[in-house]
Amino acid sequence: MGSALRSFASLLAALALSALLGACATKPGPATSAGAGQDTGLDRMERLTLAANRCWFKSGDAAFAPYSLAPELSSFSGRPRFLLVPRGKPESRPLLVVEGRKGSTGIDVYGPLMGEPVAARISADLSRWRAGADGCTA
């Protein structure tokens, strides 16, 4: 239970840091058609990260019990992402990377877990959440 609480606290801290860094960013000049609606992917990746945490980890889903969520939303490269790593080993090589793309609604999903049976579930959940749904798999 303590590990889950620490993971959730880490997620909240990362989201708070992301919001804080976003507030410190240079504000664009007068709105233009190119700059006003520019999509950095951060909002979408925050939503996906929160859904993954809620549905895969906080729910106690057995398929994701061997893993921990590691959000990396504050990205100066324009590619916010979250990782799944072995539980209790946050420094380990990621088993799954879900990465947003600046200026695109697309995401990249890759890593060893995409070759495992859980890949179909991961793809279905991410597709559903990207389309705006926020529920967990029944």
Side-chain angles (χ1 to χ4, degrees):
M1 182 64 118
S3 173
L5 186 56
R6 280 192 300 276
S7 292
F8 183 67
S10 295
L11 173 65
L12 288 178
L15 289 174
L17 179 60
S18 174
L20 184 62
L21 289 175
C24 294
T26 304
K27 302 291 183 209
T32 63
S33 59
Q38 191 173 33
D39 178 8
T40 64
L42 182 58
D43 290 341
R44 178 178 49 264
M45 290 307 300
E46 285 178 346
R47 204 170 15 80
L48 292 176
T49 303
L50 289 171
N53 186 53
R54 184 181 67 254
C55 294
W56 295 346
F57 297 99
K58 286 180 70 176
S59 70
D61 190 320
F64 294 92
Y67 315 110
S68 293
L69 183 72
E72 294 184 351
L73 299 174
S74 297
S75 170
F76 297 104
S77 68
R79 297 181 70 90
R81 65 188 188 168
F82 70 84
L83 314 172
L84 294 192
V85 296
R87 178 167 293 292
K89 298 180 182 178
E91 71 287 346
S92 294
R93 181 173 163 226
L95 301 171
L96 178 75
V97 178
V98 179
E99 187 172 61
R101 287 188 242 144
K102 185 176 182 176
S104 169
T105 59
I107 59 171
D108 293 323
V109 182
Y110 54 93
L113 280 181
M114 294 311 290
E116 299 293 326
V118 74
R121 164 78 184 286
I122 291 168
S123 295
D125 285 348
L126 290 172
S127 293
R128 197 174 61 258
W129 297 332
R130 285 181 57 219
D134 63 357
C136 302
T137 301

